[in-house]
Amino acid sequence: MRTPVIAGNWKMNTTVGEAVALVRAMRAELDKVSNVEKVLCPPFVSLAPVGELIKGSSIKLGAQNLYFAEKGAYTGEVSALMLAGLCELVIIGHSERRQYFGETGEVVNKKVAAALGVGLKPILCIGEKLAENEAGKTEEVVSGQLKSSLAGIASLDGLIVAYEPVWAIGTGRAATGEQANETIAFIRRNISGLYDDKVAREIRILYGGSVTAANVAEFMPQPEIDGALVGGASLKAAEFLSIVTQTSAMG
Ligand code: PEP
């Protein structure tokens, strides 16, 4: 059995004060929910304060990015080793990073390797753009992204994949449960080809793209979907909590 994961990607939202208030508003209730791995991914500057607030709870902490170099003259960047002392997971290859910061498959691959190298669990994001979807290229795109992201990576060690169709992120236009399930099944078959059946059976693959409390029930009963990466709806305590509790109830 794969334990479902609900990860909140706060993106570039919340000051430190707002992040602390958001965690305070949901910490106690979130902590109580069992059978779901709950992950909060605040901005870098809030990792330490949020980490302090959730210490001793069942809530896990993730970062939203890292830089692959070990250390040195990379002004403004944050290394995997710096994060390893603060959090357990890290989002890598989010479509917004690919789109606005020019992250290529090669860069994503180096970041995945850097994370795994220090024991951080990557949440590796892949997904097709609207034009690619409409041209029937979804499978070609996600298999290409998977292959380039995982090139030379011998062991996945807790890595989570998030299938996030770009056209569904922040648009309010989620995929259907069936669409997401089908593509995630395809991703799992790809992982079996790149690694083996056991790795494919055990890896968690999430859906991401406009998941809310109102539509989460569409996704979680699907057999291939192991949780969700949630953007906008993770910034509202009651809504995120509802997504997590509904997921737990459907397990
Ligand atoms: C995301 O940021 O990964 C995401 C899925 O955003 P949203 O839920 O807002 O579509």
Side-chain angles (χ1 to χ4, degrees):
M1 269 306 283
R2 301 182 293 262
T3 304
V5 181
I6 300 292
N9 172 18
W10 295 3
K11 313 194 190 200
M12 197 175 75
N13 294 295
T14 67
T15 61
V16 173
E18 288 164 348
V20 164
L22 181 55
V23 177
R24 285 211 171 110
M26 59 186 173
R27 174 186 52 183
E29 292 302 312
L30 262 189
D31 187 29
K32 284 185 212 155
V33 184
S34 55
N35 312 319
V36 177
E37 203 170 302
K38 301 141 293 191
V39 183
L40 303 179
C41 302
F44 282 138
V45 293
S46 293
L47 282 171
V50 169
E52 274 305 308
L53 280 173
I54 61 175
K55 204 177 259 177
S57 79
S58 59
I59 306 164
K60 296 184 175 179
L61 192 60
Q64 298 175 16
N65 183 30
L66 56 72
Y67 190 60
F68 54 74
E70 225 172 88
K71 60 178 172 177
Y74 302 100
T75 302
E77 292 297 329
V78 174
S79 76
L81 190 61
M82 291 171 188
L83 294 175
L86 280 175
C87 61
E88 191 176 325
L89 299 104
V90 56
I91 297 171
I92 294 178
H94 192 282
S95 64
E96 288 152 14
R97 302 246 16 122
R98 296 179 194 255
Q99 186 181 344
Y100 304 129
F101 303 96
E103 283 193 12
T104 60
E106 197 186 328
V107 168
V108 171
N109 177 239
K110 286 183 181 171
K111 291 186 172 192
V112 170
L116 290 171
V118 298
L120 278 173
K121 294 173 186 155
I123 301 177
L124 169 63
C125 301
I126 58 174
E128 83 285 2
K129 298 189 188 118
L130 182 60
E132 294 164 338
N133 180 279
E134 287 174 348
K137 290 187 172 160
T138 297
E139 295 193 347
E140 188 188 318
V141 171
V142 296
S143 62
Q145 287 176 335
L146 206 56
K147 198 168 167 205
S148 61
S149 307
L150 299 177
I153 308 279
S155 167
L156 297 185
D157 281 339
L159 178 141
I160 293 168
V161 175
Y163 167 56
E164 299 209 307
V166 179
W167 47 270
I169 299 178
T171 59
R173 181 186 162 191
T176 65
E178 236 169 70
Q179 278 174 328
N181 191 65
E182 203 179 292
T183 305
I184 288 176
F186 172 79
I187 292 168
R188 205 179 292 287
R189 288 197 297 279
N190 255 256
I191 290 173
S192 173
L194 293 171
Y195 294 88
D196 58 38
D197 271 357
K198 184 172 183 288
V199 171
R201 263 198 319 273
E202 289 177 357
I203 194 165
R204 269 102 47 99
I205 310 180
L206 318 182
Y207 166 72
S210 297
V211 172
T212 63
N215 68 14
V216 66
E218 160 107 15
F219 300 103
M220 293 314 141
Q222 297 284 347
E224 297 292 340
I225 303 180
D226 302 318
L229 182 54
V230 183
S234 70
L235 291 165
K236 299 171 204 145
E239 176 136 21
F240 189 66
L241 193 56
S242 169
I243 292 170
V244 170
T245 47
Q246 288 186 63
T247 301
S248 171
M250 283 177 275

